[in-house]
Amino acid sequence: MNIFILRNEEQFVQTGASLISGLLHTNPRATLGLATGSTPIGLYAKLIEMNKQGLVSFAQATTYNLDEYVGLPENHPESYRTFMNEKFFNHIDIQIERTHVPNGNAANLEEECLNYDRMLEEHGPVDLQLLGIGHNGHIGFNEPGESLTGGTHLVELQEKTRTANARFFPSLDDVPTHAITMGVASILKARQILLLVRGEDKAEIVHRALKGPITTECPASLLQCHSNVVVLLDQGAGRLFV
């Protein structure tokens, strides 16, 4: 595991963007696992800038997102499909049909999970999986618990997760209670994992995840079992590693 503490935002996003663009230069048909949330927005903006400058192309790439809320219309402003389109896909040269986000409005959610896993098996493994980490140690929407589900599955979101996401909605009552998420086993199948963590409020949980015991009570701690993880921390998130 390679852990880097970056001095400023520009260094943070440039380091991540260089890793992804380097992969695409080596393998233009790479499969990328993508994440939502506030942390990767700067990275996506940098990749958009590089794409417009002709420094990287996504024309042959395929993407799979980690998760999606259940019950939000696809065009809802807070759906993860909308997020990815507005923050990334609409501004680069990717073929939209090669971008995949779980369907949180599928008539049969269990079948949707199985279909997503089939696609990952057929077109994977993911070459690079982008991750963030929740305040309770979740990756994707894999919440802490006595056990974890390996494949893509339906999950009930914990109150702490819903409260953290409430800032994006009119009220906590408007935050969905369930989501579809890739499982931890699916995430760990990626050839390389890029974990992005920003903010002093994440310092304790990221240190626990990367330096503490491996336990399902902190799903991100299972990243210690992977052979190729790059971790980018800003100064706040990395304060306990100094």
Side-chain angles (χ1 to χ4, degrees):
M1 184 176 295
N2 296 300
I3 301 173
F4 300 94
I5 301 173
L6 290 314
R7 292 191 303 271
N8 52 54
E9 176 69 8
E10 177 59 28
Q11 192 179 57
F12 186 88
V13 300
Q14 184 62 64
T15 303
S18 295
L19 191 65
I20 292 172
S21 63
L23 168 63
L24 288 167
H25 281 298
T26 303
N27 178 14
R29 299 182 65 84
T31 298
L32 303 175
L34 299 181
T36 54
S38 56
T39 300
I41 289 176
L43 171 62
Y44 291 147
K46 175 60 71 173
L47 288 169
I48 291 167
E49 177 186 322
M50 293 173 69
N51 180 245
K52 291 186 183 305
Q53 293 172 344
L55 300 175
V56 64
S57 174
F58 297 86
Q60 299 180 68
T62 302
T63 69
Y64 289 90
N65 263 74
L66 283 167
D67 42 32
E68 176 61 284
Y69 288 119
V70 168
L72 290 187
E74 187 176 280
N75 61 356
H76 188 282
E78 298 306 330
S79 79
Y80 287 162
R81 167 52 80 176
T82 295
F83 176 99
M84 292 305 304
N85 286 348
E86 293 184 350
K87 302 297 184 185
F88 196 37
F89 298 148
N90 289 349
H91 310 285
I92 58 174
D93 61 344
I94 199 164
Q95 299 176 53
I96 199 68
E97 62 269 19
R98 296 175 75 103
T99 69
H100 303 88
V101 180
N103 180 5
N105 292 291
N108 186 325
L109 293 173
E110 290 186 4
E111 186 62 28
E112 171 64 14
C113 293
L114 291 172
N115 287 337
Y116 210 68
D117 278 341
R118 288 190 195 103
M119 286 194 296
L120 287 167
E121 287 295 324
E122 290 173 9
H123 303 290
V126 168
D127 292 291
L128 185 147
Q129 177 64 61
L130 187 63
L131 291 178
I133 184 173
H135 289 91
N136 61 1
H138 73 244
I139 48 177
F141 271 133
N142 292 282
E143 300 281 29
E146 293 183 2
S147 62
L148 295 172
T149 302
T152 304
H153 61 285
L154 180 67
V155 62
E156 182 175 0
L157 302 180
Q158 293 187 1
E159 197 69 12
K160 192 169 186 177
T161 299
R162 294 182 67 242
T163 300
N165 289 351
R167 67 189 187 278
F168 301 115
F169 292 84
S171 71
L172 179 61
D173 291 339
D174 294 298
V175 182
T177 58
H178 291 76
I180 292 176
T181 184
M182 278 190 207
V184 173
S186 298
I187 291 170
L188 293 178
K189 288 179 182 178
R191 290 191 171 102
Q192 183 175 42
I193 291 174
L194 175 59
L195 175 64
L196 306 179
V197 191
R198 297 169 57 205
E200 193 166 345
D201 58 323
K202 296 284 184 74
E204 291 187 10
I205 190 60
V206 72
H207 189 268
R208 176 185 166 198
L210 303 183
K211 296 297 184 180
I214 298 173
T215 169
T216 58
E217 294 297 339
C218 180
S221 68
L222 275 79
L223 296 177
Q224 295 180 47
C225 302
H226 198 281
S227 62
N228 189 4
V229 179
V230 175
V231 183
L232 304 186
L233 309 174
D234 69 3
Q235 293 285 310
R239 64 180 174 84
L240 298 180
F241 290 87
V242 179

